[in-house]
Amino acid sequence: MPQTPHTEKHFTAGETIRDIVIGMSDGLTVPFALAAGLSGAVSSTTIIITAGLAEIAAGSIAMGLGGYLAARSDAEHYANERLREVQEVKEKSDAEKAEVRDVFTSYGLNETESAPIVEALSKRPEAWVDFMMRFELGLEKPDPKRALTSALTIAVSYIVGGLIPLSPYFIFSPATTALLYSVIATLIALLVFGYVKGRFTGAKPFRSAFQTALIGGLAAAAAFMIARFISR
């Protein structure tokens, strides 16, 4: 009988989603708090827009740089650990074989069952090191372009997120009126962002939307109160 090909669909862009979440969540929260805090101190939307754009520019650069340095640190850590494993495979092969057996034991294989696999791996040094990196240390080889991609993703996400709470100040005046629309725009953006995030990650979209709006709203409210307190 004809069989339908088995096709597995897995979401594999977890790192990209993480970067978008980091950039968008900060972008929606920090510029909102700044604009909201200034709204109680000045009536001119021009001042708020200028300050908001300056914050978005500085924040996106800082966040992007942080993402770049974090990804570079991961890559350097992987490279250093791999060099150490290469050396240990050459100089401490018996100990490394025992560690391979321990890995298989953790999966339920006894020594007799794992012995031929261990011997086969020991004859392939490159594959042996790859195995140890993944199953002993839990490290995956990072994408060489990961640092730059992470930096750009976080920075762009921050800019997009930051422009949402700031956009009403371009349209409405005075600042107190713009603030009301900024609150509405920010909450809607958090709901939509949470829903889309849930769709991509496999979580329940509406639950993700509610959680994102709640957590982001609380963070924005806390930042707003701090900004208002400082501006007095």
Side-chain angles (χ1 to χ4, degrees), residues 194-218:
Y195 182 88
V196 173
K197 182 183 68 173
R199 293 282 294 180
F200 275 103
T201 58
K204 295 181 179 179
F206 287 103
R207 182 178 181 181
S208 176
F210 175 76
Q211 288 180 337
T212 303
L214 178 63
I215 296 172
L218 289 174

Side-chain angles (χ1 to χ4, degrees), residues 1-59:
M1 293 182 65
Q3 295 182 348
T4 303
H6 174 63
T7 303
E8 293 188 3
K9 295 181 179 180
H10 297 285
F11 182 73
T12 58
E15 292 181 336
T16 301
I17 290 296
R18 184 198 67 179
D19 290 341
I20 293 173
V21 170
I22 291 172
M24 282 288 290
S25 58
D26 275 25
L28 285 167
T29 303
V30 179
F32 168 79
L34 174 65
L38 289 174
S39 296
V42 298
S43 60
S44 173
T45 56
T46 302
I47 296 175
I48 297 174
I49 291 171
T50 303
L53 291 176
E55 195 288 324
I56 291 173

